[in-house]
Amino acid sequence: MINVTKSYLGNKAKFLNYVDSIYASGWLTNHGPLVTELEERLRDYLGVRNIILTNNGTLALQIAYRALDLSGSAITTPFSFVATTSSLQWEGIRPIFADIDKATWNLDPHTIEARIDGDTQAIVATHVFGNACDVETIAQIANRHRLKVIYDGAHAFSVRYKDQSVFNWGDVSTLSFHATKLFHTIEGGAIVTNDDALAARIRLLCNFGIVDTDIINGIGINAKLNEFAAAMGLCILDDMPLILEQRAEIARRYEQQLGDHFDLQHQQPHSARNHSYFPIALANEEQLLRSRSALNAQGINPRRYFYPSLDTLGHLQPQMPQIQSRTLSRRVLCLPIYPGLPRHIQNTVVQTLLTESVRRTRSRAEQYWPQAGSVGLLNEHRLSLLDPECKRIS
């Protein structure tokens, strides 16, 4: 089965060399030399002031909320992976959903202020599919209402906004280094902040609040990354130029062949792309399910990201319906994209999607002109008189 992504493993010999060094030192976890090296290299690669590695991206979010002493409620997006919201609820913070922008698919800043409640303390936004949020407008809103800003950057590794890391915006950004991500450490994550005092607090929270062997300064948890995970990260970081180049090439091919037929996510101005995903929006859920089934029949497994819209989850009710998110979540399908994806598979994905789209349009046309359909008189002119089954957002 060809899945929506495939974990990149890097050079096996290089990884085993790191493993040999772990065996030689006997240092497996607790801020070992490979974790330290990876933090230093990531700080330089991303262009950020402080980065703290964690053992997954969800704990990174939870620790960020703790480090900022958040309580009450937070404004967040309903169009994201469930961890963005569940991590808030896990920490006793009430999620309040605001709707998304129909073009960028990110949290729409113009919907935020109307949703701010008396106990709201933060905005938690996701750089959806690596597309940077409208960080400047969100910063203005946060300043106006004295709110903290946390960005879920699970998809945004290496993304830059106005020639600097997108992680330099907001009070805190979190990353996921899960095996399915663009850059990964098998399991892992990270927290980024420009605030040195906050970074020191985060480090304590990640290590049970332990200052040294004789001093414990408050509550904490075990969120440390181990040396084997760091070794994988070091191997993959070396190959990031190749990974980004191959993903960009596949994305360009998809966009050239599908861009006139399906709605594509519009890039936030001044935001670079990392091609961590290639999502398309089909005309409706019926077409999505039909297209997914056609791809599944050929051994290809695209993924519904993000479905369902989080404002529909029963355990989060009551919530005001977020119409843009609910509509989009029923239409978006992420296509396979990863280094080494065979060209013939890419071609099959494209052809299958186009065939299903044309089939639906022709079926609708026959409803309008049944006699013409029965004698084969349907033509491109008549098909074009119908609203296209899918079209790019303008």
Side-chain angles (χ1 to χ4, degrees):
M1 179 70 77
I2 299 294
N3 289 312
V4 70
T5 190
K6 181 179 180 180
S7 298
Y8 185 87
L9 292 175
N11 184 282
K12 184 176 180 180
K14 185 182 295 185
F15 179 72
L16 291 177
N17 283 336
Y18 283 121
V19 170
D20 287 342
S21 74
I22 296 170
Y23 271 77
S25 70
W27 198 337
L28 306 183
T29 188
N30 289 346
H31 312 295
L34 298 184
V35 167
T36 300
E37 180 183 352
L38 182 58
E39 280 194 354
E40 291 172 352
R41 288 188 57 190
L42 284 172
R43 185 179 63 239
D44 293 341
Y45 176 85
L46 296 171
V48 297
R49 184 173 179 86
N50 298 289
I51 183 167
I52 301 96
L53 297 180
T54 63
N55 52 24
N56 64 64
T58 304
L59 268 177
L61 284 166
Q62 292 174 228
I63 289 166
Y65 308 147
R66 288 269 181 168
L68 293 168
D69 291 319
L70 297 185
S71 60
S73 64
I75 307 299
T76 191
T77 173
F79 192 67
S80 183
F81 185 62
V82 67
T84 310
T85 294
S86 62
S87 58
L88 282 167
Q89 194 173 36
W90 193 276
E91 292 299 321
I93 302 164
R94 179 169 56 96
I96 299 177
F97 293 111
D99 217 343
I100 61 172
D101 181 89
K102 69 177 182 179
T104 67
W105 306 353
N106 287 326
L107 183 65
D108 184 350
H110 301 99
T111 69
I112 292 175
E113 288 185 284
R115 304 291 292 135
I116 294 174
D117 210 342
D119 65 350
T120 300
Q121 294 190 2
I123 300 168
V124 179
T126 299
H127 302 301
V128 174
F129 303 130
N131 190 16
C133 291
D134 185 350
V135 292
E136 294 179 87
T137 304
I138 290 174
Q140 292 168 5
I141 294 168
N143 290 337
R144 194 154 55 238
H145 295 273
R146 298 181 179 180
L147 303 176
K148 300 295 185 181
V149 178
I150 300 95
Y151 284 109
D152 183 339
H155 299 171
F157 188 85
S158 84
V159 169
R160 300 182 70 78
Y161 179 81
K162 289 191 172 180
D163 297 323
Q164 63 171 308
S165 173
V166 72
F167 301 138
N168 285 328
W169 293 85
D171 295 280
V172 172
S173 292
T174 67
L175 294 78
S176 170
F177 296 156
H178 185 265
T180 58
K181 295 298 188 290
L182 178 78
F183 168 86
H184 75 88
T185 58
I186 306 171
E187 281 277 8
I191 306 171
V192 171
T193 181
N194 289 323
D195 184 327
D196 293 345
L198 185 60
R201 174 166 166 73
I202 289 168
R203 290 191 184 280
L204 282 178
L205 287 169
C206 289
N207 189 34
F208 306 103
I210 296 173
V211 178
D212 62 31
T213 54
D214 298 321
I215 302 174
I216 299 174
N217 184 10
I219 193 171
I221 199 167
N222 182 8
K224 301 185 298 293
L225 193 72
N226 69 73
E227 289 289 275
F228 289 94
M232 179 61 74
L234 288 165
C235 290
I236 292 174
L237 191 57
D238 287 339
D239 292 346
M240 282 310 302
L242 174 66
I243 292 169
L244 292 170
E245 179 185 349
Q246 291 195 18
R247 284 178 170 271
E249 181 181 348
I250 296 168
R252 281 193 297 269
R253 189 171 298 117
Y254 280 153
E255 186 163 3
Q256 289 167 1
Q257 298 183 62
L258 299 173
D260 291 333
H261 302 275
F262 300 92
D263 288 347
L264 303 182
Q265 184 183 28
H266 277 208
Q267 200 67 15
Q268 180 71 28
H270 311 296
S271 173
R273 301 173 68 182
N274 67 359
H275 307 290
S276 56
Y277 296 84
F278 195 91
I280 64 171
L282 293 96
N284 49 48
E285 189 170 27
E286 176 191 358
Q287 190 191 35
L288 181 149
L289 294 174
R290 191 176 62 250
S291 298
R292 184 177 67 174
S293 294
L295 288 166
N296 287 165
Q298 299 183 76
I300 298 170
N301 186 29
R303 182 74 182 269
R304 294 188 78 174
Y305 278 143
F306 296 101
Y307 180 83
S309 181
L310 298 178
D311 64 303
T312 67
L313 298 182
H315 63 277
L316 296 175
Q317 300 308 312
Q319 291 286 344
M320 181 180 293
Q322 304 304 314
I323 303 304
Q324 294 291 348
S325 177
R326 291 188 181 195
T327 301
L328 185 67
S329 70
R330 292 191 291 266
R331 299 173 54 214
V332 170
L333 196 65
C334 285
L335 308 183
I337 182 169
Y338 53 83
L341 180 66
R343 177 73 69 91
H344 75 274
I345 297 296
Q346 299 169 41
N347 293 339
T348 299
V349 169
V350 168
Q351 192 56 52
T352 301
L353 289 168
L354 294 179
T355 298
E356 288 299 318
S357 178
V358 169
R359 182 176 299 165
R360 174 60 177 166
T361 303
R362 185 169 294 276
S363 174
R364 293 176 65 221
E366 289 175 351
Q367 295 175 17
Y368 283 85
W369 300 291
Q371 291 181 336
S374 66
V375 295
L377 295 179
L378 284 176
N379 55 38
E380 293 303 319
H381 171 68
R382 280 187 165 173
L383 290 175
S384 69
L385 294 177
L386 295 172
D387 290 335
E389 184 72 2
C390 290
K391 60 182 179 180
R392 187 163 180 168
I393 297 172
S394 59

